[in-house]
DNA sequence: TTTCAGAATATTGTATACAATTAAATTGTT
DNA sequence: AACAATTTAATTGTATACAATATTCTGAAA
């Protein structure tokens, strides 16, 4: 009975976003190649440059990543000399992520590189703000829906 | 000398997109849990429902994924009964991905589920179109820039 | 036809992601 | 103090991504 409309990949907002996300990844990954930073490593550094030291948990809240992702990522950043991981004295459950001197020294250089990337992108501040505003709408919808004990099977019943 | 403006995570379009992409992933992943499809598996099925059979290469062009990602993904889809992978008779380099009967049978059911997801998202067609249009702009910029033999180190020189 | 450049897929290695579990430390309650 | 509940990181297992390489096959040129 039920004749449901076809779902075309090219009309899916999710794929649009998925694809854009991957392209941005590559873009920054190559722009940051001189620093040997992957994109997730780069955004971790951004947060740390804003606010270090931070616990793994605090960093994870900003990046929306959990320790399963962050622990190995931070170990790699440590091995490459960007951060140090230090057990907190006051609460031994926590690990504090500190910037190294190298990280502090390279901050401006990375900022400058990112500035160039933004220039290359060639979007006006307004275009960027508008796009981010639309994405914020999408994200808040997704959060709301996810929180609402998602879709129950029985909505399907048009058979 | 050079005082470069700080780079704040929350003002980065890339992070906005990265974050939205992950949320969409979870959203569809849970919506499609009854079918045991991950998000990348789901978009692969979408393309196949449009056009099967397709070679790995053709599928990869639509999804912007290479064989390094697709080969194992398709093996998992095969194991779960969604597709069959068949060496082409006419060109033995190629592997044709066919839909199984189960996949054909479940198509409408999945389409219906996605329809519900779109309803839950609560965005108008116009909002979705507008957002996708803005993302298309971003993506074409990223493509252009990437194609242009990317950023040379010397642009940095403001020291 | 032999050879060889190019094409298609698979494989290897590295790095995310994230659910689920574990382990250790802390807090709250009695 | 004792101990259950919670919190924080780390670990385990599965699934993407993607660069780089290997393998096999095809088609074109010599």
């Amino acid at each position: 009975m039920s004749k449901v409309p076809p779902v075309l990949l090219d009309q899916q907002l999710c794929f649009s976003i998925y694809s854009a996300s991957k392209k941005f990844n590559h873009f920054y990954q190559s722009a940051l190649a001189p620093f040997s930073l992957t994109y997730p490593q780069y955004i971790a550094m951004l947060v740390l440059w804003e606010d270090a030291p931070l616990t793994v948990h605090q960093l994870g809240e900003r990046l929306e990543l959990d320790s399963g992702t962050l622990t190995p990522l931070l170990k790699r950043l440590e091995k490459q000399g960007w951060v140090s991981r230090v057990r907190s004295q006051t609460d031994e459950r926590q690990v504090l992520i500190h910037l190294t001197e190298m990280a502090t020294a390279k901050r401006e250089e990375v900022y400058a590189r990112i500035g160039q990337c933004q220039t290359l992108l060639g979007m006006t501040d307004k275009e960027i703000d508008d796009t981010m505003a639309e994405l914020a709408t999408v994200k808040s919808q997704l959060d709301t829906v996810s929180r609402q004990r998602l879709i129950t099977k029985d909505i399907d019943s048009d058979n």
Side-chain angles (χ1 to χ4, degrees), chain A residues 1 11 37 59 68 70 86 96 98 102 111-112 142 149 152:
Chain A
M1 205 67 10
Q11 294 173 8
L37 288 172
L59 188 56
L70 283 177
V86 185
L96 285 166
H98 292 264
M102 176 188 100
Y111 280 4
L142 288 173
R149 172 107 230 73
T152 48

Side-chain angles (χ1 to χ4, degrees), chain A residues 44-45 47-49 51-56 58-59 74 77-89 94-104:
Chain A
M45 290 306 299
V47 173
L48 291 168
W49 275 318
D51 250 354
L54 288 173
T55 67
V56 173
Q58 290 170 327
L59 188 56
L74 291 169
L77 282 179
E78 185 176 46
K79 182 152 50 165
Q80 306 210 324
W82 293 98
V83 305
S84 60
R85 298 160 62 248
V86 185
R87 253 324 136 180
S88 163
Q89 296 290 307
Q94 306 185 127
V95 169
L96 285 166
I97 311 301
H98 292 264
L99 292 177
T100 61
E101 286 192 20
M102 176 188 100
T104 303

Side-chain angles (χ1 to χ4, degrees), chain A residues 5-156:
Chain A
V7 179
L8 302 178
L9 182 71
D10 292 338
Q11 294 173 8
Q12 300 306 303
L13 178 57
C14 60
F15 183 69
S16 230
I17 291 177
Y18 166 79
S19 163
S21 178
K22 289 198 299 174
K23 281 190 207 296
F24 251 126
N25 244 276
H26 301 154
F27 176 54
Y28 279 118
Q29 205 111 343
S30 44
L32 295 170
F35 304 100
S36 298
L37 288 172
T38 66
Y39 178 72
Q41 289 167 6
Y42 156 66
I43 58 175
M45 290 306 299
L46 274 194
V47 173
L48 291 168
W49 275 318
E50 285 181 35
D51 250 354
L54 288 173
T55 67
V56 173
H57 183 76
Q58 290 170 327
L59 188 56
E61 282 192 334
R62 292 291 308 277
L63 298 175
E64 296 166 27
L65 292 173
D66 66 13
S67 68
T69 301
L70 283 177
T71 296
L73 184 153
L74 291 169
K75 284 181 179 172
R76 285 186 283 269
L77 282 179
E78 185 176 46
K79 182 152 50 165
Q80 306 210 324
W82 293 98
V83 305
S84 60
R85 298 160 62 248
V86 185
R87 253 324 136 180
S88 163
Q89 296 290 307
T90 56
D91 184 341
E92 298 225 356
R93 288 171 303 183
Q94 306 185 127
V95 169
L96 285 166
I97 311 301
H98 292 264
L99 292 177
T100 61
E101 286 192 20
M102 176 188 100
T104 303
K106 297 223 172 196
R107 187 172 105 137
E108 295 279 308
E109 208 181 326
V110 173
Y111 280 4
R113 182 60 134 206
I114 296 309
Q116 295 162 22
C117 288
Q118 288 164 350
T119 303
L120 277 174
L121 242 199
M123 292 178 69
T124 65
D125 286 353
K126 179 167 185 322
E127 283 175 323
I128 291 177
D129 287 348
D130 287 351
T131 308
M132 285 180 66
E134 307 219 44
L135 289 171
T137 306
V138 177
K139 287 196 278 183
S140 89
Q141 279 301 315
L142 288 173
D143 285 338
T144 305
V145 171
S146 297
R147 225 177 294 106
Q148 278 171 9
R149 172 107 230 73
L150 217 63
I151 320 130
T152 48
K153 189 81 180 196
D154 49 80
I155 315 183
D156 286 306

